[in-house]
Amino acid sequence: MNIPILFEDGEALIVNKPAGLPLDRPRKGGVALEDFLPDLRLGFAREPLPVHRLDQDTSGCLLLARNPKAHKRFCAAFEARVVSKRYLGVVNGPVRKESGTISLNLLKTSSKYGGWRIVASHEGKPAVTHWRKIAEVDGMTLVEFRPETGRTHQIRVHAQKGLGAALVGDPIYGDGTGAARTMLHAVELTVLREGKPPIHAVAPLPEDFIELGFEEGMNLAKVWEQQGEEDQGE
């Protein structure tokens, strides 16, 4: 398995995490991100550390810190919500409006037989996601998601409850049909740094998005990548 590097400097890496690769070792065993961290040292003494999380099925931009001090600063940036994240997801149904904001508190629940999941509940933690419709193909909709908060399964639940349709392939919040995985891609990540150019990367649209007919996402990714390069050049 190849893990492309999208951004690299002395304190950070952004890699394009493949769909299906978990960050932590599964209980039943198998490949995990930690298996690739030695190769991602790239001459540094320490292995890089993930700063945030992506679900196993989610592909795209994952930030790694190359030293403990950088890891602490980047984690603080995520906590302070000064990190810009953009996702593309395929929703299993039409979306009537062109754009909007979903604000639904999220709560983690669990049961003996069903395991754990996230539900919308006024007792949960605040969660806000901005969204924009990009294209519709065969009753499915490509949506741009910009989460303001970073709750577990936030986009997946907000798609189901806020847009009225789960992500294609989602086996927990949808019916799991239409794709081999939950169709969510972390397409862009930007982290501002004091006194340094921002950390920025755009992950190319995966083939399974294109196979569903959403080439528009590929064109958008190219535009965002160009804009990021122009911003860093200023």
Side-chain angles (χ1 to χ4, degrees):
M1 182 183 296
N2 180 40
I3 301 185
I5 296 173
L6 304 173
F7 175 93
E8 176 186 358
D9 72 2
E11 61 181 15
L13 296 173
I14 297 180
V15 300
N16 187 3
K17 186 188 86 66
L21 180 67
L23 269 63
D24 302 319
R25 184 83 59 198
R27 291 183 180 180
K28 60 183 179 181
V31 178
L33 177 68
E34 61 188 76
D35 296 317
F36 300 90
L37 295 181
D39 290 337
L40 291 172
R41 286 171 52 187
L42 304 177
F44 276 53
R46 296 183 177 90
E47 296 178 0
L49 297 173
V51 177
H52 58 119
R53 303 191 65 81
L54 293 178
D55 289 345
Q56 179 172 332
D57 265 4
T58 302
S59 54
C61 295
L62 178 68
L63 176 62
L64 308 176
R66 305 187 79 170
N67 61 69
K69 289 184 179 180
H71 187 267
K72 184 177 180 179
R73 288 199 306 274
F74 298 154
C75 286
F78 273 83
E79 287 290 331
R81 302 179 187 175
V82 295
V83 176
S84 174
K85 298 171 286 183
R86 198 192 308 258
Y87 292 76
L88 289 174
V90 180
V91 174
N92 194 13
V95 176
R96 290 180 297 172
K97 295 182 179 180
E98 293 299 315
S99 63
T101 296
I102 300 166
S103 182
L104 290 171
N105 290 13
L106 300 179
L107 179 69
K108 184 177 181 179
T109 64
S110 62
S111 65
K112 180 178 180 181
Y113 300 103
W116 69 270
R117 63 163 43 200
I118 304 298
V119 298
S121 170
H122 67 278
E123 297 178 352
K125 296 180 179 180
V128 178
T129 304
H130 308 287
W131 64 272
R132 177 169 66 104
K133 182 166 69 173
I134 304 299
E136 187 174 330
V137 175
D138 296 332
M140 299 176 292
T141 307
L142 181 67
V143 179
E144 172 196 324
F145 295 98
R146 290 178 292 109
E148 189 175 306
T149 51
R151 309 301 181 197
T152 301
H153 291 186
Q154 175 173 320
I155 294 175
R156 295 166 68 180
V157 178
H158 278 184
Q160 179 204 26
K161 295 297 185 182
L163 298 183
L167 295 173
V168 170
D170 192 331
I172 298 178
Y173 306 102
D175 59 14
T177 63
R181 56 113 169 187
T182 302
M183 295 299 287
L184 185 62
H185 179 60
V187 67
E188 185 181 26
L189 179 65
T190 304
V191 184
L192 300 179
R193 296 183 291 184
E194 186 175 353
K196 293 184 179 181
I199 298 167
H200 175 262
V202 174
L205 197 70
E207 285 296 325
D208 50 4
F209 276 71
I210 298 171
E211 289 171 358
L212 290 178
F214 292 109
E215 292 85 356
E216 291 90 343
M218 182 169 56
N219 297 331
L220 277 173
K222 291 179 180 178
V223 171
W224 293 329
E225 183 175 14
Q226 183 178 3
Q227 289 175 344
E229 291 173 352
E230 292 174 351
D231 291 342
Q232 291 188 56
E234 293 179 352

